[in-house]
Every structure is written in structure tokens, then in C-alpha cells.
Amino acid sequence: MKLNMNNTIWILGILFLSISMTQAQKRSSVSLGNFYVPAKGSVAIFSDHNFQEIGDGLLPGVLATDRSINNGKIVFAKNSGWVNADNYRHIDGYVGVNNDGAFLLPTGDNGIYGPIGVSYAESVDAAYFAVDPSYATTSVVLSNDYTEVPEEGPFNVSLFTSNVDVVTDKEYWMINSDQETKVTLTWNKHSEIEALTQSELGSLTIVGWDGLEWVDIPSSLDVHGVNTRNSELVPGKELSNFFKGSITTDSEIVPNIYKVITLGRLKGDKGQNKNAMAVYPNPVSAGSYITVRYELVKTEKGEIKLYNSNNQLIYSKILNTQKDRIKIPLNKYGRGVFNIAISNENGHTVYKKLIVVDM
């Protein structure tokens, strides 16, 4: 990606660039204060940027760009990267990357972190919008100004192809590239995935706006959601669940075919072959136990996990038979809403919600 020198606002002075004193030390940049790239401007980061190392200001961990048709841009140059992005530390606006491998772009919008990943990252830029696509309007960070973004919007979430059941009204991404790449979308609590999928995570899909309606882009749930804390686009430790996870297109796509992309729910289940699970009683009294009846698909090994309302793993057990029933004691846990996940050794996972009430 070739940057226009006349429109480039250099990062030096706003971000601190630590130049190595020896070849063994790696260059790094950190945020020292509020930073905004205006329309047609661009900033190049040639190092590994650490969002956690921040200075003063209203939003010291957030770097921002203009979101208009002539948007500004912050570009990660070849061999650069970043670490420690989250809801309070990300790029609010357009992020570009000039690389030849996989990359997770640290995009966000007004305090909501919504990164997007690509498998082939040369000459790609993207932005995240934590708003209803049907309105396509978000506020400009650090101001009360509002802007419709992007220019092609809004994108009516009630218009979609026959195999799509519903399109989210919580968020969308704009991604620009004429190169073929797989695309990975992430979600968090803002996404309300359990409501979107009606508690059936296997129905989740990626959809793209083709100019007239939302169309399904064949995609598969990532068994382990991507690690959203760095740019490497690798699986994290946690299984994808209703609170946090990721989904990736099944094959490479050309992002420019779609005006924007987001998450949706397919009619029926994405596949006929899936693990089966029944949980009873449900709701259940605290201090009691539940019985889980399960059947794994095409394998005799798997794992069952129980997560509390904070998405913390509180129970796990290896499954060594394809079909069985097990009891899980709840005497260590109080009331609340829990999630049970069963995975086979091929990585296919199903989820059920468990409600625990007072005795």
C-alpha cells in the first residue's frame, strides 16, 4: 500500500516511537494522547503498537479517524502489528493493513470493540459500526456530531434472501479490498448473539449487503474464538459461545462485492449432522444436580463444559462414549444463567442455556 505523502499525518509526536538501541530490540509505538486522522489523511505504523501503554486525555487508548466518504485511515505497514486492544483501546474508524498474511484489524466504535480478521491482508482496510445497519448513523468520537456511514447506507435489515431468517440490528462492518481473502467476524455482549440465534449458535452466519438485500455468505463457527488481544488472527483459549466468539467464511471472498457485512441467522440449522443434547430439569434448584443426555456426531470422544453468567469455565468433563447421559452436581454454584457446551473431537459444538433458581 503506497501512502500519499501530502496527506500523511505522521505518528511521531502523538504516538511515541521507541527506536531500538540494538538490533535485538524490537521497535514499538504506544498511545500518548487523543489522536484523530481527518478526511483524506493517513497515518503509517511501522512497528508493533501497544494499546495498553497510554497517556492522558479523554480517550487516551483510542485512535480515531474520519468516517466520511473521504475517510482518514491508520495503516499498519508490512511486518507491523499490535497488542492489547479492547473496548477502551482500539481504532475508532478506518484501519488499513499492508501485509501478505493473516491479520486482525483492531476496529471499534464509541467504546465497543469489534475487530475483523482477514486471511490475506495486503491492501485491505475496514471499519466497524456498532449501530443498526437500517440507520447506518454513528457519532463521531470525542464530539456530538453524527454522520451517515458509509455513503451507500442505510442497509435495511428486513431485506434478505430466502435462506436467511434474520439480520442483526446491532452492528456491521465495512471492508474494502479487491483481493480474495477469508473474512472473520467477532462478537461480544453488545452483539446479543443468543437472542439473534434463538439460543442455537449453529444457525449463525455471515451476511453481506449486495446493494439490494442481505445474502448469506457460507461461513462456519470458529470452535475456539480468535484471540482478540493481538493482530495475529489465531484461536484463543475459549470456545466460541453466546458472549464471545468468531465466525469465518468457508472460502475466500472479494470483500468489495459487498457494501457491508454483518451477522445473521439462517433458517433451520446449517447442517443436518450435529451433536444432540438434552438438559433436565431446566430450570433447576441451586444445590441440586442436572442430567445431560447427549449424542456425538461421527466420533466417540468429546467434552462437556459448563460456563457461569460471566462466561467463566466452572466445570468440564471428557466424554468417552458417543451416546450417554451424565449427572452434573450444582452444589458449588449459586443461582444464575449458565451455558452448557458439548463438543466432539472434530470440533463441532452445541450449546444449551441452563437456569438455576433458589431452592
Side-chain angles (χ1 to χ4, degrees):
M1 180 177 296
K2 185 176 180 181
L3 299 179
N4 186 333
M5 298 294 288
N6 293 326
N7 292 330
T8 299
I9 302 174
W10 292 103
I11 210 164
L12 188 61
I14 305 298
L15 302 179
F16 174 68
L17 182 61
S18 176
I19 306 297
S20 61
M21 299 303 293
T22 69
Q23 292 183 350
Q25 294 175 306
K26 190 174 181 63
R27 295 179 179 181
S28 63
S29 63
V30 299
S31 305
L32 289 185
N34 299 314
F35 184 70
Y36 182 80
V37 182
K40 298 183 180 181
S42 59
V43 166
I45 296 179
F46 294 95
S47 57
D48 284 343
H49 182 73
N50 189 341
F51 284 96
Q52 190 169 358
E53 298 296 330
I54 58 178
D56 299 322
L58 293 176
L59 296 172
V62 174
L63 310 179
T65 80
D66 178 87
R67 289 179 178 265
S68 69
I69 187 173
N70 297 314
N71 59 274
K73 189 186 306 181
I74 296 175
V75 181
F76 287 89
K78 191 170 184 178
N79 299 322
S80 64
W82 58 267
V83 293
N84 297 323
D86 56 28
N87 282 340
Y88 307 100
R89 306 170 184 91
H90 54 256
I91 296 177
D92 188 311
Y94 282 81
V95 185
V97 60
N98 185 11
N99 211 322
D100 55 4
F103 199 92
L104 186 69
L105 288 77
T107 52
D109 182 15
N110 282 282
I112 299 175
Y113 179 44
I116 179 174
V118 289
S119 62
Y120 180 75
E122 188 169 354
S123 299
V124 178
D125 65 82
Y128 171 69
F129 305 93
V131 294
D132 187 342
S134 292
Y135 296 97
T137 302
T138 190
S139 60
V140 179
V141 68
L142 294 178
S143 78
N144 293 320
D145 296 330
Y146 287 80
T147 179
E148 291 188 355
V149 286
E151 187 183 36
E152 293 86 351
F155 316 96
N156 193 334
V157 296
S158 65
L159 300 176
F160 40 75
T161 52
S162 60
N163 65 328
V164 177
D165 202 22
V166 68
V167 174
T168 183
D169 61 359
K170 300 299 180 183
E171 60 198 344
Y172 62 94
W173 290 258
M174 183 174 186
I175 177 170
N176 301 306
S177 177
D178 58 6
Q179 302 291 324
E180 290 188 342
T181 179
K182 286 188 174 183
V183 174
T184 298
L185 299 187
T186 64
W187 66 84
N188 53 34
K189 290 183 179 180
H190 169 79
S191 308
E192 297 185 7
I193 293 300
E194 184 175 12
L196 176 65
T197 62
Q198 294 184 333
S199 300
E200 182 54 70
L201 200 54
S203 66
L204 189 68
T205 190
I206 296 176
V207 293
W209 180 265
D210 67 358
L212 298 174
E213 60 185 355
W214 295 96
V215 300
D216 171 46
I217 303 175
S219 48
S220 297
L221 188 74
D222 298 325
V223 177
H224 287 83
V226 297
N227 180 1
T228 59
R229 298 285 291 178
N230 64 59
S231 58
E232 294 180 352
L233 193 62
V234 295
K237 295 181 180 180
E238 293 185 61
L239 294 173
S240 289
N241 54 70
F242 295 124
F243 307 106
K244 181 180 180 181
S246 62
I247 186 171
T248 301
T249 57
D250 290 340
S251 58
E252 295 179 338
I253 64 171
V254 177
N256 283 349
I257 293 176
Y258 307 101
K259 303 299 182 182
V260 294
I261 59 177
T262 192
L263 299 169
R265 183 180 75 237
L266 288 178
K267 291 182 177 178
D269 189 73
K270 298 179 88 170
Q272 296 298 318
N273 297 322
K274 66 175 184 176
N275 301 325
M277 172 173 49
V279 180
Y280 53 91
N282 188 14
V284 63
S285 297
S288 183
Y289 65 87
I290 56 170
T291 298
V292 179
R293 189 176 68 242
Y294 71 89
E295 183 174 358
L296 304 176
V297 175
K298 298 180 180 180
T299 179
E300 293 185 352
K301 292 185 177 181
E303 187 174 12
I304 183 169
K305 294 184 177 182
L306 179 64
Y307 297 87
N308 64 16
S309 58
N310 293 321
N311 198 32
Q312 297 171 322
L313 178 64
I314 56 177
Y315 173 90
S316 65
K317 180 180 177 65
I318 299 298
L319 306 176
N320 292 311
T321 56
Q322 184 178 19
K323 183 179 180 180
D324 202 352
R325 65 182 66 191
I326 62 174
K327 290 185 177 181
I328 301 178
L330 302 176
N331 56 298
K332 296 181 180 179
Y333 322 119
R335 66 178 182 177
V337 178
F338 298 75
N339 280 291
I340 304 173
I342 282 188
S343 304
N344 64 11
E345 62 181 350
N346 295 326
H348 184 272
T349 305
V350 293
Y351 297 83
K352 291 289 184 182
K353 180 165 65 175
L354 171 67
I355 299 175
V356 180
V357 298
D358 288 332
M359 296 181 63

